[in-house]
Amino acid sequence: LDIFREPLDFSVESSIPEPRIFAETIDKMIEENKQFVMGADEKLTEKVKEVVAQADKMLDLSYVALEAEQQQEAEAEQEQQQEQEQEQEQEEEIEIEKYVDVAYQRDNEAPIPWEFLRLRDKNFCSQFYDASNFKLYKGKPVVFPPYVQVSDNYFNRTWGWRATHKEYHYDDGMGSQTV
């Protein structure tokens, strides 16, 4: 009967024991106790070995399936992360485009018409300014006589650098000229 007794031991090992495969553990126990198996019990031990072998195969298959599932999850997670990065890049591009659109918006760019008779007095023509104040971005203005005026319809000083029209109007006192 001592075979069926397992002593209780409360000692703790200093290291983690290496895991043993279940089938190997059963085979070892059958070999150690082979002398006590007789007759019809031999067929029973063979049946136990077969069941354990099948269980091992099922475990192997489940590990393979688990690894495949984990790999699929990792790939799905990586794909999702790439999609999020792409969405974030697209959002950043949209933000940049919005900023660029605001920086180069062309609102209030339509020419401001004026009545010809208003040209007699500078105070009535707010869209004109002295040509001496005209300059391009980071450029120096050219000195013009005070009667030479430039229209905001030609170049609005708030635009910064933009392409300008190639039409100049001046009044030399003898009538308007267009160059």
Side-chain angles (χ1 to χ4, degrees), residues 129-145:
Y129 58 93
D130 290 339
S132 296
N133 293 333
F134 170 76
K135 67 176 183 167
L136 297 178
Y137 180 71
K138 292 187 179 179
K140 294 181 180 178
V142 177
V143 178
F144 287 100

Side-chain angles (χ1 to χ4, degrees), residues 1-6 33 35-36:
L1 288 177
D2 285 339
I3 295 174
F4 299 108
R5 290 187 184 165
E6 291 184 24
N33 298 304
Q35 64 214 23
F36 301 108

Side-chain angles (χ1 to χ4, degrees), residues 2-19:
D2 285 339
I3 295 174
F4 299 108
R5 290 187 184 165
E6 291 184 24
L8 294 177
D9 187 10
F10 295 105
S11 63
V12 178
E13 294 185 30
S14 63
S15 64
I16 298 174
E18 291 201 22

Side-chain angles (χ1 to χ4, degrees), residues 3-4 8 11 31 41 45 53 56 61 69 82 93 99-101 107 109 112-114 117 122 128 130 141 143 165 175:
I3 295 174
F4 299 108
L8 294 177
S11 63
E31 285 300 318
D41 291 338
T45 54
D56 251 4
L61 290 175
E69 184 179 333
Q82 287 176 344
E93 287 176 6
Y99 177 75
V100 168
D101 288 346
D107 295 343
E109 202 172 275
I112 301 169
W114 65 88
L117 293 175
K122 284 190 204 179
F128 289 98
D130 290 339
V143 178
H165 307 285

Side-chain angles (χ1 to χ4, degrees), residues 18-70:
E18 291 201 22
R20 293 182 288 175
I21 298 172
F22 182 66
E24 291 176 3
T25 305
I26 295 295
D27 285 342
K28 183 180 175 189
M29 289 175 72
I30 289 174
E31 285 300 318
E32 288 175 357
N33 298 304
K34 190 177 190 180
Q35 64 214 23
F36 301 108
V37 178
M38 295 176 202
D41 291 338
E42 288 179 2
K43 289 182 181 178
L44 188 60
T45 54
E46 290 302 317
K47 183 70 173 170
V48 168
K49 284 182 177 180
E50 287 176 20
V51 169
V52 169
Q54 286 178 349
D56 251 4
K57 287 180 184 176
M58 289 175 35
L59 273 175
D60 287 344
L61 290 175
S62 67
Y63 282 131
V64 168
L66 180 64
E67 286 178 358
E69 184 179 333
Q70 288 175 341

Side-chain angles (χ1 to χ4, degrees), residues 73-111:
E73 287 177 1
E75 289 173 358
E77 186 177 324
Q78 184 179 10
E79 188 175 313
Q80 184 179 13
Q81 189 175 18
Q82 287 176 344
E83 288 176 3
Q84 287 176 345
E85 289 173 358
Q86 287 176 347
E87 288 175 6
Q88 187 175 6
E89 288 175 4
Q90 287 176 348
E91 289 175 4
E92 289 174 1
E93 287 176 6
I94 290 171
E95 287 298 319
I96 290 171
E97 288 174 4
K98 285 181 183 177
Y99 177 75
V100 168
D101 288 346
V102 168
Y104 293 103
Q105 73 181 11
R106 300 183 70 104
D107 295 343
N108 302 327
E109 202 172 275

